[in-house]
Amino acid sequence: MTVADAFVRVGGVPHHVVVEGGGPACVLSAGLGMAWFDWDPVVPLLTPHRTVVRFDRPGHGLSGPAAVPPSAAGEACRIAALLDAVGLREPAVVAGHSIAGFHAEAFARLHPDRTAGLVLVDSSVEETVRTPAAPAVRTVLARGIGAALTAVGAPAALGPAARRAAVRLSRTGGGDPAPYPLVRRCYGASRVTRGILLENAHYRAVAAELLALRDDRPLPRGLPVAVLAAGADARWTGRQRALARLLGAVRFEPVEQSGHLMTLDCPRTVARAILETGDPGNGRPSKRGALSGPRPLS
């Protein structure tokens, strides 16, 4: 197995990228405020079968600060550019957790020839949302708050503890498995605080952009899609089920034993969905393998 941990420049911003394993490609994108290492429990289950690409968006993990506010199209292009940068041009299965579900779906719609499958891991869902007014003002406010917090030393003093608390609250059991020096290196940095604030400020704008893409850019015919829904809340599960139907998913799986951070709570479930959702060599659902289990469909 080959492992490459590197920085590549996209849009003038250095992006931290980790590539490991071998075989057809899959891309793993973490949720708001999360980092590449939040996929750690999933990756060893994939690398015997897939070339796994993980990356940090600007202002997340070890990547540089964001140069521009996020957008659905921008994040889709980022994934494509990163795949180009690491020399992977064949169709890939793209998995997005939480807000990165928006980005993964946008990639599938805007780069259909490069998408072999789509896996949404407790993805954000917005059925009806309008583009917020004054996006430039939101950017200025987010950056102003970030600068103020940096000036009083909040990221270094509170960032790692806030990360630990957020992970604990987003799991069904257990704390944050990430090594503390790594957490401190990332979440003690002001660029991560600023990156989280900027991405959060434009959440609704990205969601509204994706809704528009659904009208204008249909998913590729026959694209295998899987939707995993965490928790036992009936309303949330119902919204995720509706998303699966909207996207024509071949797989919908409620994972009641998992919190929102399914990559930490139920890594085998996530890995199985990625391995079974698509074969980048031919775009068809792959045969079930060693991680196979029940495949609830809707």
Side-chain angles (χ1 to χ4, degrees), residues 11 25 36 57 68 143 156 169 183 189 194 229 237 246 248 271 297:
W36 87 98
R57 294 188 298 280
V68 297
R143 287 180 169 160
L169 291 171
V183 170
R194 296 196 305 269
T237 300
L246 175 69
L297 303 177

Side-chain angles (χ1 to χ4, degrees), residues 25 53 80-92 107 111 113-115 280:
V53 180
L82 288 169
L83 286 171
D84 286 342
V86 298
L88 295 172
R89 293 178 174 81
E90 73 273 15
F107 177 83
H111 300 273
D113 58 327
R114 305 195 67 173
T115 309

Side-chain angles (χ1 to χ4, degrees), residues 10-225:
V10 174
V13 177
H15 287 65
H16 176 235
V17 184
V18 180
V19 183
E20 50 201 312
C26 66
V27 182
L28 312 180
S29 187
L32 173 63
M34 310 310 289
W36 87 98
F37 53 77
D38 289 302
W39 290 94
D40 275 355
V42 179
V43 170
L45 305 173
L46 298 176
T47 49
H49 316 283
R50 297 287 185 269
T51 298
V52 181
V53 180
R54 293 182 281 171
F55 68 97
D56 293 320
R57 294 188 298 280
H60 288 64
L62 297 178
S63 290
V68 297
S71 67
E75 296 306 324
C77 290
R78 188 186 317 283
I79 294 171
L82 288 169
L83 286 171
D84 286 342
V86 298
L88 295 172
R89 293 178 174 81
E90 73 273 15
V93 173
V94 183
H97 169 251
S98 194
I99 194 175
F102 290 163
H103 310 157
E105 184 184 339
F107 177 83
R109 294 182 182 279
L110 292 171
H111 300 273
D113 58 327
R114 305 195 67 173
T115 309
L118 174 63
V119 180
L120 303 181
V121 183
D122 210 41
S123 176
S124 298
V125 180
E126 295 294 341
E127 297 87 353
T128 56
V129 62
R130 295 181 179 179
T131 303
V137 173
R138 291 174 177 270
T139 300
V140 170
L141 286 174
R143 287 180 169 160
I145 294 170
L149 291 173
T150 299
V152 299
L158 303 175
R163 147 81 193 197
R164 291 294 206 210
V167 170
R168 190 177 302 110
L169 291 171
S170 299
R171 298 190 62 189
T172 52
D176 186 355
Y180 184 73
L182 190 56
V183 170
R184 182 176 57 196
R185 181 183 178 189
C186 294
Y187 292 87
S190 63
R191 61 183 165 71
V192 172
T193 298
R194 296 196 305 269
I196 292 171
L197 288 168
L198 185 63
E199 199 164 82
N200 186 65
H202 291 276
Y203 169 87
R204 292 179 63 83
V206 172
E209 185 183 353
L210 180 61
L211 292 186
L213 283 176
R214 287 176 181 169
D215 291 333
D216 297 336
R217 302 293 292 266
L219 289 175
R221 184 181 298 275
L223 178 73
V225 178

